[in-house]
């Protein structure tokens, strides 16, 4: 098999600004490592403020022409991007695995998921509509005209290096906005590949700019302070989201924030346990558990707790751990050493407070950032892992005896991104739907991400929606004209 880095030539490991691939103005670079080995796989340009502002110059210059581009043309370019990603799935997937660590099968699934945003918003691009109607009192007409908000800044995370960028870039371009993407420093290569792909299919210069940097705070702050940026979309931690919201307030920017989660997965005694187990494995272990919508706390009703736990432990213990490019691997490497240390600390804290580990629970020796699939029981309410995102392959199981009890526990968090409920009782499912403080809910299903559905949370899990028809509205302003017509 060829080297996965062969798909991204050295000249495309630089900054994508306007019509050029360029080095950072300072000439600085930083290393990207394979988390499964800890070895450097590439050097990419390390941008500073001057580079970020150059990208904004390019996005601003391209804005008027792109906004005036016919919606059908924008749609065709998004469709071409979708097709190019699907045609090159294997190349993109191997690149994702190499820089992020997830198994190749999951990387392929991310390519399919990310590509679908381009197809979905290609279809939405030609359906942006205003309205014209008679004012209720008569005498004039009401005209509403949707317009692109302007140049957008995207700050994307490392856990889905293609899909999280696609989820932002696709609706922005469909609406007629130009973009600057600042990918995570751990995983910049996939976004650079996407920029190259969009260049190849004919997206005009300046519409998609990519700025890679290890100096994220400095570069992003400078861009947010410039009045030409009109929209910020961020996916990442609630802590960083709060900082960015404060900075965005100075220029009263439109913002979309997809922030942290602490998802409760609830298994009722009347659930189909086969369905619940399948759903719990997906909700917990998709993307190695490194997902904001991962099941963080698993609540199981007491009559089925023992059976569910035994079967879940068996399935978690059967998962194979290794390099994501190797055949048969189910669980790849975590993103970095800090992530492994954080997860290990959460497990240690829970055990010190009385929890028992049924499988896993100890980091392995050797190179790479690995942690085994882990299940804990008897986890007390004051354990830190119940209050924060675990972001890894660790599952605490807690019993419950009533719906009111488990709803109260599930809602006892600052987060409100997603929840999961397994029950065969329709009325019970509806009570959970109304009772849980979440922006999304999986009913008898462990996978809820879909480009056609509105993705987003409540409370401190975020602002706005991504995907679906609502997703394109995040990139449109509305002008209202009152037209005198007696």
């Amino acid at each position: 098999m060829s080297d996965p880095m062969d798909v991204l030539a050295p000249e495309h490991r630089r900054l994508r600004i306007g019509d050029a691939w360029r080095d950072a103005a300072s000439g600085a670079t930083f290393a990207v490592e394979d988390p499964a080995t800890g070895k450097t796989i590439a050097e990419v340009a390390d941008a500073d403020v001057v580079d970020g502002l150059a990208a904004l110059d390019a996005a601003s210059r391209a804005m008027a022409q792109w906004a005036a581009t016919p919606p059908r043309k924008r749609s065709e370019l998004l469709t071409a991007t979708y097709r190019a990603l699907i045609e090159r799935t294997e190349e993109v997937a191997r690149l994702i695995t190499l820089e992020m660590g997830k198994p190749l099968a999951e990387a392929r699934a991310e390519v399919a998921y990310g590509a679908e945003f381009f197809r979905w918003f290609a279809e939405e691009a030609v359906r942006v509509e205003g309205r014209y109607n008679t004012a209720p009192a008569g005498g004039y007409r009401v005209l509403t005209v949707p317009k692109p908000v302007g140049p957008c800044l995207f700050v994307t995370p490392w856990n889905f290096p293609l899909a999280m960028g696609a989820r932002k870039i696709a609706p922005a371009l469909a609406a007629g906005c130009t973009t600057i993407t600042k990918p995570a420093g751990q995983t910049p290569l996939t976004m650079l590949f996407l920029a190259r792909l969009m260049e190849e299919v004919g997206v005009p210069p300046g519409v998609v700019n990519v700025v890679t940097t290890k100096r994220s705070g400095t570069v992003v702050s400078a861009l947010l302070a410039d009045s030409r940026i009109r929209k910020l979309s961020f996916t990442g931690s609630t802590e960083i989201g709060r900082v960015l919201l404060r900075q965005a307030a100075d220029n009263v920017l439109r913002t979309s924030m997809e922030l942290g989660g602490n998802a409760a997965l609830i298994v009722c005694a009347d659930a189909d346990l086969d369905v619940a187990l399948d759903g719990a494995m997906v909700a917990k272990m998709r993307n190695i558990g490194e997902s904001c919508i991962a099941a963080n706390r698993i609540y199981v009703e007491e009559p089925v707790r023992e059976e569910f736990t035994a079967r879940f432990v068996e399935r978690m213990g059967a998962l194979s751990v290794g390099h994501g490019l190797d055949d048969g691997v189910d669980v790849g490497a975590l993103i970095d050493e800090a992530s492994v240390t954080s997860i290990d600390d959460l497990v240690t804290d829970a055990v010190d407070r009385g929890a028992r580990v049924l499988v896993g629970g100890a980091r392995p020796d050797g190179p790479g950032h690995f942690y085994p699939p882990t299940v804990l029981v008897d986890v007390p309410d004051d354990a830190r892992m119940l209050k924060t995102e675990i972001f890894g392959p660790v599952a605490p199981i807690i019993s419950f005896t009533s719906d009111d009890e488990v709803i109260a526990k599930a809602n006892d968090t600052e987060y409100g991104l997603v929840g999961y409920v397994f029950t065969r009782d329709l009325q019970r499912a509806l009570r959970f739907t109304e009772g849980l403080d979440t922006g999304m809910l999986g009913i008898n299903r462990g996978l809820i991400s879909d480009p056609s559905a509105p993705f987003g949370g409540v409370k401190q899990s975020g602002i706005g929606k991504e995907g679906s028809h609502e997703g394109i509205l995040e990139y449109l302003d509305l002008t209202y004209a009152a037209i005198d017509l007696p």
Side-chain angles (χ1 to χ4, degrees):
M1 184 70 72
S2 63
D3 183 347
M5 286 307 303
D6 290 346
V7 306
L8 193 65
E11 60 266 28
H12 300 133
R13 301 173 197 175
R14 300 186 290 176
L15 310 177
R16 175 61 180 175
I17 297 177
D19 61 356
W21 293 87
R22 62 171 78 171
D23 294 326
S26 67
T29 64
F30 66 89
V32 181
E33 74 166 34
D34 175 354
T37 64
K39 296 180 180 179
T40 296
I41 55 176
E43 294 278 342
V44 299
D46 189 3
D48 207 339
V49 170
V50 64
D51 303 300
L53 294 177
L56 180 52
D57 289 343
S60 298
R61 285 194 302 269
M63 182 65 217
Q65 184 175 354
W66 182 247
T69 299
R72 177 63 67 194
K73 177 62 176 176
R74 297 200 298 264
S75 174
E76 289 169 349
L77 289 170
L78 292 172
T79 299
T81 303
Y82 161 77
R83 289 174 176 161
L85 281 169
I86 295 301
E87 288 170 1
R88 301 183 69 176
T89 291
E90 199 64 19
E91 297 169 72
V92 187
R94 287 174 64 79
L95 189 60
I96 291 171
T97 292
L98 195 63
E99 68 172 345
M100 184 266 157
K102 70 181 69 178
L104 192 55
E106 292 207 48
R108 294 185 185 113
E110 181 183 346
V111 177
Y113 175 53
E116 193 64 29
F117 283 104
F118 289 101
R119 179 160 68 166
W120 174 265
F121 284 107
E123 296 162 345
E124 289 293 299
V126 297
R127 293 178 175 83
V128 175
E129 298 175 344
R131 63 185 174 91
Y132 175 82
N133 61 279
T134 302
Y140 69 97
R141 301 296 182 266
V142 173
L143 175 68
T144 62
V145 182
K147 301 176 182 178
V149 298
C152 302
L153 173 61
F154 301 144
V155 182
T156 59
W158 49 260
N159 56 340
F160 290 92
L162 174 71
M164 296 301 95
R167 196 160 74 182
K168 301 176 192 304
I169 293 170
L173 268 59
C177 299
T178 57
T179 66
I180 304 166
T181 301
K182 201 295 295 178
Q186 298 98 323
T187 58
L189 303 174
T190 303
M191 187 51 56
L192 292 171
F193 182 92
L194 177 61
R196 174 60 178 154
L197 204 67
M198 298 188 79
E199 177 188 25
E200 290 175 354
V201 303
V203 174
V207 175
V208 175
N209 303 278
V210 178
V211 176
T212 57
T213 181
K214 278 288 190 179
R215 293 169 277 196
S216 299
T218 303
V219 174
V220 170
S221 294
L223 288 168
L224 294 178
D226 193 303
S227 62
R228 293 175 294 172
I229 286 287
R230 297 313 310 147
K231 163 81 181 185
L232 166 67
S233 181
F234 170 71
T235 298
S237 72
T238 296
E239 179 183 11
I240 300 300
R242 294 186 190 112
V243 173
L244 294 177
L245 280 169
R246 285 192 288 269
Q247 294 177 353
D250 288 340
N251 280 323
V252 195
L253 298 187
R254 291 279 295 273
T255 60
S256 298
M257 295 277 155
E258 197 266 284
L259 306 177
N262 186 7
L265 185 145
I266 299 166
V267 180
C268 299
D270 58 56
D272 181 323
L273 284 193
D274 291 331
V275 171
L277 283 161
D278 288 344
M281 289 298 297
V282 171
K284 176 68 259 182
M285 293 303 297
R286 175 175 175 252
N287 213 57
I288 326 173
E290 293 176 314
S291 169
C292 56
I293 60 171
N296 214 59
R297 302 164 289 158
I298 299 179
Y299 293 100
V300 184
E301 198 166 9
E302 184 57 35
V304 295
R305 175 189 55 80
E306 186 173 342
E307 180 184 354
F308 177 90
T309 300
R311 294 175 64 182
F312 186 71
V313 166
E314 181 180 9
R315 292 183 65 165
M316 288 283 278
L319 297 175
S320 61
V321 179
H323 197 299
L325 292 179
D326 292 343
D327 292 338
V329 167
D330 300 307
V331 181
L334 301 181
I335 190 62
D336 54 27
E337 185 62 22
S339 181
V340 178
T341 299
S342 174
I343 291 168
D344 198 46
D345 287 347
L346 289 176
V347 172
T348 299
D349 170 77
V351 171
D352 288 346
R353 297 174 189 270
R356 292 186 295 120
V357 175
L358 299 186
V359 67
R363 57 184 306 171
D365 296 328
H369 311 307
F370 294 96
Y371 201 85
T374 297
V375 180
L376 301 94
V377 293
D378 301 333
V379 181
D381 289 341
D382 61 353
R384 287 196 294 118
M385 69 169 55
L386 300 186
K387 303 298 183 182
T388 188
E389 280 188 294
I390 298 172
F391 233 68
V394 174
I397 294 180
I398 308 101
S399 67
F400 74 94
T401 57
S402 74
D403 291 359
D404 288 344
E405 173 199 0
V406 75
I407 288 173
K409 286 185 174 182
N411 288 341
D412 185 21
T413 174
E414 67 181 5
Y415 302 107
L417 187 57
V418 67
Y420 304 91
V421 176
F422 292 85
T423 176
R424 284 183 279 198
D425 185 328
L426 176 59
Q427 290 185 328
R428 199 174 190 185
L430 292 173
R431 284 195 296 271
F432 278 114
T433 301
E434 295 184 3
L436 292 173
D437 297 333
T438 60
M440 301 175 288
L441 190 63
I443 304 292
N444 296 322
R445 184 174 178 81
L447 180 62
I448 55 91
S449 298
D450 189 319
S452 68
F455 190 105
V458 298
K459 300 197 302 190
Q460 296 201 39
S461 285
I463 299 169
K465 299 296 181 182
E466 293 187 304
S468 74
H469 175 66
E470 289 82 357
I472 199 169
L473 301 181
E474 300 282 344
Y475 297 91
L476 294 166
D477 282 330
L478 200 64
T479 294
Y480 148 59
I483 304 170
D484 191 53
L485 188 64

